[in-house]
Amino acid sequence: MNALPLTPGRIARSLAGRDQGRLFVVIREVDEDFVLIADGELRGVARPKKKRRKHLRATASVMELPAQREPQDFEIRSALCIEPVKEG
């Protein structure tokens, strides 16, 4: 089990699924088994992924989430050091 909690703002690595190995930010806790995650690139804040906690490994890094609003995709990409996808 993770020693670090998967709370909103925590950066976590996916352990299972087609997104295995990718970094995400926990946006919200759904219940004791699930959280909503986003990476600001393939999974934006408008369409977060519901993922089981056991399929995520928390890192020591935490993103400071804005208090009065949802974080924006560019803020999440910046926290994860991900370059935006170039279209065209």
Side-chain angles (χ1 to χ4, degrees):
M1 180 152 186
N2 281 341
L4 299 170
L6 286 169
T7 55
R10 177 72 63 183
I11 296 176
R13 185 172 303 277
S14 174
L15 299 176
R18 61 176 56 174
D19 57 9
Q20 181 177 1
R22 293 182 63 93
L23 289 173
F24 292 92
V25 174
V26 176
I27 303 298
R28 248 177 285 150
E29 295 178 279
V30 177
D31 57 26
E32 64 184 42
D33 289 332
F34 289 96
V35 293
L36 294 178
I37 58 173
D39 68 358
E41 184 183 22
L42 298 175
R43 280 294 180 164
V45 176
R47 219 174 53 97
K49 180 176 181 72
K50 185 177 175 183
K51 190 122 176 135
R52 286 191 182 273
R53 291 175 188 262
K54 70 180 183 179
H55 293 157
L56 294 168
R57 172 157 299 133
T59 66
S61 302
V62 178
M63 176 187 171
E64 191 68 35
L65 294 178
Q68 301 299 321
R69 61 175 174 82
E70 290 281 326
Q72 295 184 353
D73 289 336
F74 75 90
E75 294 171 321
I76 293 174
R77 283 193 306 267
S78 176
L80 298 175
C81 299
I82 296 176
E83 293 294 321
V85 175
K86 296 185 174 150
E87 297 179 16

